[in-house]
Amino acid sequence: MEDYKFLFKVVLVGNAGVGKTCLVRRFTQGLFPPGQGATIGVDFMIKTIEIDNEKIKLQIWDTAGQERFRSITQSYYRSAHALILVYDISCQPTFDCLPDWLREIEEYANSKVLRVLVGNKLDREDREIPTEVGEQFAQRHNMYYLETSAKEAENVERLFIQIAAELMEQARCKELPRYEIGSESIDQNATTIKTKPCCNN
Amino acid sequence: MCFSCFSQFRPRYKRLVDDIFPALPQDGLVKSNMEKLTFYAVSSPEKLDRIGEYLYQKASRDITRKRDSYVKIAMEAMDQLLVACHSQTLNLFVESFLRMVQKLLECSEPELQILATQSFVKFANIEEDTPSYHRRYDFFIEKFSSMCHNNSPDLFIRDGIRLAGIKGLQGVIRKTVSDDLVENIWEPVHMDKIIPSLLYNMQNPRYKVDSEEKDPTVLAESCFRELVGRASFGHVKSVIHPVLRHFDLHDLWSSKLFAINCYRLIMFSIQSQYLYTVVESLMIHLDETSKLSSKIRTNIADVLSKIIAIAAGESIGPTVLEIINSLLTHLRTSVTRQSTNNMTDVDEEEKNYQEALISALGEFAAHLPDYQKIEIMMFIMSKIVQSKAVMAFSNIDNRIHLICLKSLLMVCSKYTSIHMTATLPQSFLDPLLRCSRAFDSQIRLLVQNVLHTLFDRHGNGTKFIKPTLEFSLLNFAYEKCSRSDTIFMSKHGPEIYASLCESLEHKNNSIDNVEAVYKTFALLCLELTSEETIGDFFHALINIQDLALTNDSLPHVLKYQLHTIVICLLSLAAYIHSINSLQELVNTIIKTRKEVKALHLLPDLCIHYEVLPEHALPKGVLLDQIQLVECLNHAGIDITSKNFPLVHRHSWVESAPISSLSDVSFLEFSSNSSSPSIERKYPHEDLTFEAMKQVLSENVDKQREQEIVRGVQIFEQYKSLPFTDLMNISNRNEEDTLPYKLGEIFNKLNTDSNLRSPIRYDEQKECYKPKLESLFPECFVY
Ligand SMILES: Nc1nc2c(ncn2[C@@H]2O[C@H](COP(=O)(O)OP(=O)(O)OP(=O)(O)O)[C@@H](O)[C@H]2O)c(=O)[nH]1
Ligand SMILES: [Mg+2]
């Protein structure tokens, strides 16, 4: 018997320093890490949430934004159910890089992957990218859009819950890309919907 | 969860499992009960899957409740069951075992992650009878790769997790590598994680513990080796590609030492039949990075030069030339790039790049057997010839030329020449000599350097850098000229000397050129002259003096330099062959030169001389041919029967298919035979078999024969005149500056390839037509 019914892989991407790690830590550990160092390679976090009385396990891969880790980070896109593309609303260059990121996603990720654009650091006063601009960009590229603050814990929970809910919806309609072949896979619960009896022995 | 409702009817296996957990977690696994569980599992293997599942459930709950000690006990129990079970039944258990491992890996506690990895490694080391094709390792590769990048501020934790990550990857590799159907570890999606993870740990070693247990660097290295060593055909590229990518992204080409070490590691680990693939991939990568800075390219080429030798031992046949060809192509591309850039700092880097490529070429050649080196030399030579055919006269062409010759020189320097017939077959000697007369002085210099490396078999080269008259202290190492070399020299000596002399006729000869030709002569004298062939050597020296006397187009400085090397070489010959009479003659000349303050005719060579041209040659400072012949006769050496001047003629006629230029030939003739008192016989008069063969083999055409006949007439005519008169005549005959002009044109032609080779000539004439036709219309009546 598993302790979750769905397992979704979520991968965070975006320029260095936009706050990917802070978002993940806020979500998984409920804290805003002081002096968060740049991520090296890829970090892994797990968090189980509950929606509609269903347990959902989120496998979160937090990638390094630094260019030099690009080859390893890209290799994680492929198996993602959802990709969170993060930029910093107070830093124009991180927004300007979005098309590059989309190109990479296009190249390395599954075409059906759920894509979410996140403008982080909502708490900052020196905003450079107005909400509408981010929103329009997201619309144009067929992405969900949300502005967050890892620091003030704004919209962070919502971000992941919505992703999970959306993925669950897709999974129920069998739209979700399936990565694990065969029902006996060790990740079997990730994508297959089974109603497991509470006590099966 | 509704466990409670079943508690009183707990099945036996559950009770057995429950019993292995102690009341107090710190007491650890209850050993006696574990034995009972193991016994039960072994005797009723059909229950294994349930046992596994139940242990997993318990551990999951303990993880949630943060009861790590119980989690560890559960894992330990699973480890023991895994080892105890027979392989046939293992499949049933592995499923829950791996889920358990994954569960632990998902925890944030480093300790549990490390524990999980240890269990995974135990599993990986078990050989299963039947592979489970449905089992997936994606998560493990993803997680272990992530662990390899752990960045915990606590170094102890960081190392621990990184080590665990590497061990985990090693486990996955071992588990899957033998059977692609299980999980194709070589898929890019896996290799793109594994390779960078290993390299990342290798690239910045923090300490040198040199223990796989403690140092991630060491462990990553050994894991990397293992992986590379297991790559079979089709997989090699899957390994190499991510390596190149990682090197680019992390700018590892700049940390040369690491790049070289890493590539050495690859070369020494990879199965030898794929060595070439590594070399090839680097060369392809050079193409791909052609847009990158030349500095990076230089570094890549440098790596190439450091590892290429390892591939040389394994390369055979076509691959060898393929590699050489590819290197030459890169060189050519670089030259072309250089000329389009036209920026000096770029040029500097580009030059380093070229040097690195050339040294790669040399490294490669150095490790090939000698016969292949000759093949390579001839191959490079053929490239030079080709390059000229394609882009005649252009600046780029010249640079390509230079670069090819530099490459040739590099290969030659790795070659040990023993018998000259093997070293310099006609097909190699011909184009080489042709290049030695090229118009570009740098090209001529390089060709001389090539000749130096080929002739200098006893390491005397450094003793001949500057012309000198003092040889007794130089301690030459040499052997008597062998029979086969003597045959070689009697056959090819004349053409070699002729080309050397001709190369001195260029007025753009620098002091380096003159010194280089001196060195070639000196090495020839030391290595390849015997009593039979020394005559040609002396004739060549006389020719040089004549050249200095009669060719007015030459700068005075060059003339003085030529006089100087003549006396030096004469002295050398006297010393080597112990010809006392000749030594006396030389001493007399030197003495006279000193007395009349003709120091410009004595070494060292200078760039500038104070002496006025009209006072340059006081009486008695020159080498008198009669005296030379006499003193050689005295020593028992007869040089009069040689046909040397004629051969010089040949080369002229040959190098100019436009043989109606009789004036030039005529002039040449007169200068070569300027010592009328010496009885020289023309081969036509003195028909030996050798001479006949030579004439025949040189593809004589009618025009040329007529030319020779004319030449003989002139020669006969001038034979009776005294030397000085002859000089005057020949000077007078140099009507205007025509010879000089022609010389220049010919030099240009010479630079340019195969005018001599009849096959090439046809394609060549197309491109030269306009220029030549306008100048010499009469030559173009085919
Ligand atoms: N004001 C504000 N600062 C934030 C917020 N999120 C992150 N930061 C700060 O931004 C910096 C970078 O955050 P990280 O989470 O390390 O950024 P990252 O995207 O993970 O960067 P890489 O790992 O290098 O790709 C840190 O100094 C954080 O304190 C936020 O919501 N508001
Ligand atoms: Mg980060």
Side-chain angles (χ1 to χ4, degrees):
Chain A
M1 187 185 84
E2 269 299 348
D3 51 354
Y4 60 86
K5 196 159 159 198
F6 297 101
L7 180 129
F8 298 129
K9 293 189 190 177
V10 180
V11 177
L12 283 95
V13 299
N15 277 24
V18 295
K20 299 181 291 297
T21 305
C22 288
L23 282 169
V24 175
R25 300 263 251 150
R26 167 63 76 192
F27 175 61
T28 56
Q29 299 169 327
L31 50 87
F32 182 72
Q36 175 59 44
T39 306
I40 301 294
V42 179
D43 264 353
F44 173 81
M45 289 281 181
I46 203 107
K47 169 115 175 161
T48 308
I49 54 173
E50 225 180 281
I51 301 173
D52 303 337
N53 292 319
E54 303 276 26
K55 282 210 165 142
I56 298 164
K57 189 157 121 179
L58 292 180
Q59 229 184 47
I60 303 168
W61 300 94
D62 168 26
T63 67
Q66 284 175 43
E67 177 97 31
R68 63 195 172 115
F69 295 109
R70 214 42 62 81
S71 75
I72 185 156
T73 55
Q74 281 161 349
S75 72
Y76 283 80
Y77 295 8
R78 173 105 68 96
S79 58
H81 294 111
L83 272 166
I84 304 179
L85 175 51
V86 188
Y87 70 93
D88 177 351
I89 58 155
S90 65
C91 178
Q92 178 81 40
T94 67
F95 182 81
D96 296 339
C97 282
L98 294 180
D100 297 336
W101 286 106
L102 283 179
R103 223 169 294 128
E104 281 204 7
I105 292 169
E106 217 55 64
E107 188 175 348
Y108 296 99
N110 188 301
S111 58
K112 284 197 232 152
V113 70
L114 177 71
R115 297 181 302 174
V116 182
L117 182 64
V118 167
N120 189 36
K121 308 199 188 178
L122 184 55
D123 56 286
R124 285 186 69 133
E125 319 238 296
D126 54 345
R127 177 195 277 273
E128 287 184 1
I129 315 292
T131 307
E132 311 82 69
V133 175
E135 218 161 34
Q136 275 166 18
F137 185 91
Q139 246 169 29
R140 212 171 330 123
H141 294 96
N142 211 6
M143 303 167 88
Y144 287 84
Y145 182 71
L146 206 61
E147 287 189 350
T148 59
S149 166
K151 193 177 177 196
E152 305 296 332
E154 249 192 277
N155 279 342
V156 179
E157 196 87 2
R158 205 175 135 203
L159 168 69
F160 287 95
I161 301 279
Q162 280 196 351
I163 286 173
E166 176 66 30
L167 286 173
M168 191 164 73
E169 194 55 38
Q170 285 184 10
R172 287 199 163 122
C173 310
K174 300 256 179 195
E175 278 176 6
L176 207 63
R178 297 172 56 126
Y179 301 113
E180 280 75 37
I181 309 153
S183 59
E184 285 175 84
S185 95
I186 51 166
D187 276 337
Q188 58 180 313
N189 299 289
T191 54
T192 33
I193 299 118
K194 281 193 235 162
T195 357
K196 285 196 172 184
C198 169
C199 311
N200 55 349
N201 32 31
Chain B
M1 304 285 159
C2 38
F3 257 97
S4 50
C5 55
F6 278 97
S7 53
Q8 54 268 65
F9 312 108
R10 275 193 306 168
R12 187 166 149 74
Y13 77 88
K14 284 198 178 178
R15 283 202 313 271
L16 284 168
V17 168
D18 287 341
D19 288 347
I20 64 166
F21 293 92
L24 296 168
Q26 61 268 32
D27 292 347
L29 185 68
V30 182
K31 293 231 166 57
S32 53
N33 289 343
M34 185 63 215
E35 273 166 32
K36 282 181 199 155
L37 176 63
T38 311
F39 181 77
Y40 176 78
V42 172
S43 45
S44 347
E46 74 279 358
K47 288 284 196 304
L48 257 175
D49 56 337
R50 296 204 182 161
I51 297 172
E53 177 66 21
Y54 185 56
L55 271 167
Y56 169 73
Q57 297 298 342
K58 279 183 81 82
S60 297
R61 236 170 300 133
D62 287 331
I63 287 169
T64 323
R65 291 171 198 162
K66 303 250 175 263
R67 301 201 312 197
D68 288 1
S69 312
Y70 284 119
V71 178
K72 286 181 208 161
I73 290 167
M75 193 74 246
E76 194 184 337
M78 282 192 127
D79 286 353
Q80 292 198 14
L81 286 173
L82 184 80
V83 178
C85 290
H86 289 293
S87 57
Q88 304 98 294
T89 52
L90 210 56
N91 247 330
L92 304 164
F93 181 67
V94 166
E95 216 59 58
S96 32
F97 178 87
L98 286 178
R99 271 204 289 160
M100 177 83 163
V101 172
Q102 173 164 359
K103 189 86 191 171
L104 262 60
L105 284 173
E106 286 171 355
C107 297
S108 52
E109 288 78 9
E111 218 185 331
L112 292 182
Q113 293 183 29
I114 293 170
L115 188 71
T117 315
Q118 285 164 356
S119 294
F120 184 84
V121 171
K122 281 186 196 121
F123 157 74
N125 287 332
I126 289 174
E127 281 198 32
E128 291 173 272
D129 279 357
T130 42
S132 346
Y133 295 120
H134 59 266
R135 206 181 288 145
R136 304 284 301 178
Y137 294 93
D138 299 59
F139 171 78
F140 295 102
I141 297 171
E142 285 171 343
K143 175 63 186 175
F144 290 139
S145 299
S146 165
M147 286 163 74
C148 286
H149 290 86
N150 185 280
N151 200 28
S152 166
D154 180 338
L155 288 186
F156 187 75
I157 292 175
R158 186 194 293 186
D159 284 347
I161 294 200
R162 285 192 183 184
L163 281 166
I166 299 163
K167 279 184 194 151
L169 287 179
Q170 197 168 36
V172 180
I173 294 166
R174 286 184 183 160
K175 194 76 198 166
T176 57
V177 80
S178 52
D179 192 347
D180 287 357
L181 291 173
V182 173
E183 173 87 80
N184 190 352
I185 192 89
W186 307 103
E187 287 286 326
V189 71
H190 298 320
M191 279 299 141
D192 285 349
K193 295 185 183 82
I194 296 172
I195 301 274
S197 300
L198 296 177
L199 289 176
Y200 183 72
N201 280 284
M202 288 159 66
Q203 74 200 44
N204 18 10
R206 269 187 298 113
Y207 31 57
K208 274 268 149 267
V209 201
D210 225 37
S211 136
E212 286 192 7
E213 288 311 308
K214 291 194 189 116
D215 187 350
T217 311
V218 180
L219 184 65
E221 193 178 297
S222 89
C223 182
F224 182 69
R225 276 194 206 190
E226 186 178 333
L227 180 66
V228 172
R230 283 171 186 258
S232 56
F233 186 74
H235 299 149
V236 175
K237 289 204 166 105
S238 327
V239 175
I240 292 172
H241 182 76
V243 171
L244 290 170
R245 181 110 200 272
H246 185 84
F247 269 57
D248 287 345
L249 283 170
H250 287 253
D251 194 23
L252 291 180
W253 301 113
S254 305
S255 50
K256 246 194 213 168
L257 202 65
F258 175 75
I260 290 167
N261 282 339
C262 185
Y263 262 88
R264 283 227 173 99
L265 211 74
I266 295 176
M267 294 301 272
F268 287 126
S269 312
I270 206 160
Q271 293 168 38
S272 60
Q273 65 268 37
Y274 310 127
L275 283 169
Y276 172 66
T277 317
V278 182
V279 172
E280 189 189 28
S281 73
L282 273 177
M283 298 217 247
I284 293 171
H285 198 61
L286 277 178
D287 277 336
E288 290 164 349
T289 50
S290 61
K291 278 161 233 90
L292 291 178
S293 80
S294 41
K295 188 152 182 68
I296 291 175
R297 270 185 284 116
T298 308
N299 289 338
I300 298 175
D302 218 54
V303 170
L304 192 61
S305 75
K306 296 293 189 306
I307 61 151
I308 202 164
I310 305 167
E314 294 296 326
S315 301
I316 23 133
T319 20
V320 171
L321 289 186
E322 229 168 85
I323 290 177
I324 300 289
N325 193 31
S326 176
L327 285 170
L328 289 176
T329 310
H330 278 109
L331 280 168
R332 184 178 306 207
T333 316
S334 166
V335 170
T336 325
R337 191 167 26 222
Q338 205 176 11
S339 57
T340 46
N341 275 333
N342 262 342
M343 277 153 63
T344 41
D345 52 333
V346 175
D347 269 12
E348 200 45 49
E349 259 311 320
E350 203 67 50
K351 238 162 114 188
N352 292 339
Y353 171 55
Q354 290 165 6
E355 233 115 81
L357 283 175
I358 291 175
S359 98
L361 191 71
E363 275 307 307
F364 183 64
H367 291 81
L368 293 172
D370 270 351
Y371 77 91
Q372 279 194 325
K373 286 179 199 157
I374 299 180
E375 265 175 35
I376 292 174
M377 293 185 225
M378 293 175 50
F379 181 74
I380 297 176
M381 209 63 225
S382 77
K383 287 279 159 188
I384 297 174
V385 165
Q386 271 174 26
S387 81
K388 286 190 284 188
V390 177
M391 294 180 277
F393 295 125
S394 72
N395 189 23
I396 298 176
D397 178 44
N398 222 22
R399 284 205 233 174
I400 289 174
H401 236 123
L402 281 170
I403 221 82
C404 286
L405 277 169
K406 276 186 194 163
S407 315
L408 179 65
L409 179 60
M410 180 52 99
V411 179
C412 289
S413 70
K414 307 289 178 185
Y415 172 78
T416 324
S417 92
I418 299 167
H419 299 296
M420 278 305 147
T421 31
T423 308
L424 285 168
Q426 188 91 48
S427 49
F428 181 37
L429 182 65
D430 276 352
L432 197 60
L433 291 182
R434 209 178 303 138
C435 277
S436 78
R437 304 185 298 259
F439 181 70
D440 188 290
S441 61
Q442 266 179 292
I443 289 176
R444 291 202 305 274
L445 186 61
L446 275 171
V447 176
Q448 293 305 325
N449 291 337
V450 167
L451 291 174
H452 298 160
T453 58
L454 296 179
F455 289 148
D456 185 15
R457 291 175 298 192
H458 295 90
N460 295 306
T462 50
K463 297 162 190 166
F464 295 127
I465 290 167
K466 300 269 172 212
T468 177
L469 292 163
E470 266 312 317
F471 300 107
S472 51
L473 294 174
L474 292 180
N475 288 324
F476 296 125
Y478 63 105
E479 291 164 54
K480 194 172 174 294
C481 184
S482 71
R483 189 69 211 134
S484 90
D485 283 348
T486 303
I487 293 168
F488 172 83
M489 281 310 277
S490 35
K491 191 165 173 223
H492 298 294
E495 38 178 327
I496 295 172
Y497 292 128
S499 291
L500 290 177
C501 292
E502 208 175 309
S503 83
L504 291 170
E505 287 177 26
H506 292 273
K507 60 177 184 135
N508 64 358
N509 272 318
S510 70
I511 192 165
D512 294 338
N513 286 109
V514 179
E515 282 174 352
V517 174
Y518 161 80
K519 186 169 168 181
T520 311
F521 265 107
L523 287 168
L524 278 169
C525 178
L526 189 62
E527 291 275 346
L528 294 169
T529 48
S530 65
E531 205 150 293
E532 266 171 74
T533 57
I534 189 87
D536 293 333
F537 182 80
F538 290 120
H539 274 295
L541 296 189
I542 293 166
N543 270 352
I544 296 174
Q545 177 172 286
D546 286 351
L547 181 67
L549 293 173
T550 58
N551 191 333
D552 269 4
S553 68
L554 294 185
H556 292 290
V557 174
L558 180 55
K559 288 182 182 174
Y560 306 151
Q561 290 170 347
L562 294 186
H563 285 300
T564 308
I565 66 167
V566 167
I567 197 69
C568 292
L569 289 169
L570 213 53
S571 172
L572 176 69
Y575 177 76
I576 303 261
H577 292 278
S578 313
I579 314 171
N580 291 335
S581 52
L582 180 59
Q583 192 61 60
E584 277 164 30
L585 175 64
V586 171
N587 288 344
T588 319
I589 297 171
I590 296 170
K591 194 161 155 258
T592 316
R593 287 186 184 185
K594 280 180 181 160
E595 275 167 10
V596 299
K597 298 248 169 337
L599 297 179
H600 56 287
L601 304 179
L602 292 170
D604 294 334
L605 303 187
C606 296
I607 300 165
H608 175 74
Y609 294 93
E610 292 294 340
V611 68
L612 294 169
E614 51 271 31
H615 300 133
L617 295 174
K619 209 168 164 333
V621 297
L622 292 176
L623 166 67
D624 186 292
Q625 290 190 45
I626 304 166
Q627 285 178 354
L628 177 63
V629 172
E630 267 170 12
C631 82
L632 287 176
N633 273 338
H634 196 278
I637 299 165
D638 178 24
I639 64 164
T640 51
S641 63
K642 299 290 171 180
N643 54 16
F644 178 60
L646 177 73
V647 177
H648 190 120
R649 262 297 20 77
H650 278 199
S651 75
W652 257 101
V653 177
E654 230 188 324
S655 65
I658 317 121
S659 37
S660 64
L661 298 169
S662 46
D663 285 347
V664 180
S665 314
F666 162 75
L667 271 172
E668 267 303 307
F669 230 97
S670 59
S671 73
N672 280 331
S673 42
S674 54
S675 249
S677 55
I678 298 176
E679 283 253 88
R680 260 186 275 194
K681 283 189 186 140
Y682 210 66
H684 287 225
E685 300 165 52
D686 179 26
L687 276 176
T688 65
F689 177 66
E690 262 317 295
M692 231 1 224
K693 224 173 78 184
Q694 205 166 13
V695 171
L696 287 174
S697 68
E698 292 195 72
N699 193 16
V700 194
D701 61 301
K702 268 192 189 139
Q703 259 187 328
R704 220 186 77 203
E705 244 163 350
Q706 287 166 6
E707 208 55 51
I708 292 166
V709 172
R710 255 187 88 181
V712 175
Q713 287 165 357
I714 297 159
F715 175 68
E716 292 294 311
Q717 184 189 332
Y718 286 172
K719 230 159 104 176
S720 50
L721 291 169
F723 178 67
T724 39
D725 291 7
L726 192 70
M727 231 179 81
N728 291 336
I729 290 172
S730 59
N731 281 347
R732 243 185 290 131
N733 278 333
E734 262 178 85
E735 291 152 351
D736 307 318
T737 56
L738 181 65
Y740 156 63
K741 281 226 166 104
L742 287 178
E744 202 170 50
I745 288 159
F746 277 121
N747 291 337
K748 271 191 187 158
L749 289 177
N750 287 346
T751 331
D752 221 85
S753 87
N754 293 343
L755 271 176
R756 285 172 155 224
S757 131
I759 317 134
R760 291 263 166 200
Y761 180 60
D762 280 335
E763 25 178 303
Q764 293 273 310
K765 86 189 161 196
E766 286 310 309
C767 39
Y768 301 137
K769 221 173 175 175
K771 187 159 190 171
L772 290 179
E773 254 180 340
S774 56
L775 284 167
F776 313 113
E778 79 273 35
C779 314
F780 286 83
V781 188
Y782 300 110

